[in-house]
Amino acid sequence: MITLRNVQPTDLDQLLIIEDEGFSKEEAATKEAFEERIQLIADTFIVAEKEGEMLGYINGPVINQLYITDNLFKEISENPESGGYQSVLGLAVSKQARNQGIAKILVEKMEQLVKENEREGMTLTCKQELVSFYERLGFINHGMSDSKHGGVSWYNLVKLKEDIN
């Protein structure tokens, strides 16, 4: 049985391993970025685990604009109680737990938080090979992002609150 919970400081080492499995060195969040996210946005930093083993995570701050900007990868603020857009800065699943629906479960948990906290919707950026995955989850491709994070081309994907079940 997969359980979902908010991140804890003791998760840091395992988070870094999964992050490195899912992203290139240039794209991956740093230890310092994770420490900041754990401290400031634990309410929107969800970990999936099974029998005490971390399988994956999703995280991101609530932002005021529709699209993610590169500065968010370096500096974030605490989430407001309501409103704004739920961003996803990171979604990763450990190599041994892939293709089991865990990423979908994590996205659905974040959607639940969007509804509970009266957010405007969810926003994320992804590489071209993941666009169809997010479209299957109901996200709309808004085209190329201005983001140059990690020296990669990213696409803006958005799911507004009225499209969240």
Side-chain angles (χ1 to χ4, degrees), residues 40-90:
L40 294 176
I41 60 165
D43 56 325
T44 57
F45 196 144
I46 308 300
V47 170
E49 62 184 5
K50 185 176 185 179
E51 297 169 6
E53 180 185 350
M54 188 182 301
L55 304 176
Y57 61 84
I58 190 168
N59 72 75
V62 175
I63 59 177
N64 291 323
Q65 70 269 11
L66 185 57
Y67 301 128
I68 289 173
T69 52
D70 284 347
N71 65 313
L72 292 172
F73 293 99
K74 295 177 182 67
E75 186 177 330
I76 59 167
S77 303
E78 288 185 35
N79 293 325
E81 286 187 30
S82 64
Y85 293 91
Q86 176 62 61
S87 73
V88 177
L89 295 186

Side-chain angles (χ1 to χ4, degrees), residues 97-113:
R98 291 188 184 153
N99 300 311
Q100 298 176 31
I102 294 165
K104 181 181 180 201
I105 291 168
L106 287 163
V107 169
E108 288 170 348
K109 175 61 177 175
M110 201 66 102
E111 289 175 354
Q112 181 185 336
L113 293 175

Side-chain angles (χ1 to χ4, degrees), residues 23-24 26-27 70 126-129 144-155:
F23 297 97
S24 72
E26 295 76 24
E27 300 163 0
D70 284 347
C126 70
K127 293 185 266 189
Q128 184 172 5
E129 61 265 24
M144 294 295 293
S145 169
D146 290 337
S147 176
K148 301 296 178 222
H149 179 70
V152 175
S153 293
W154 300 92
Y155 288 80

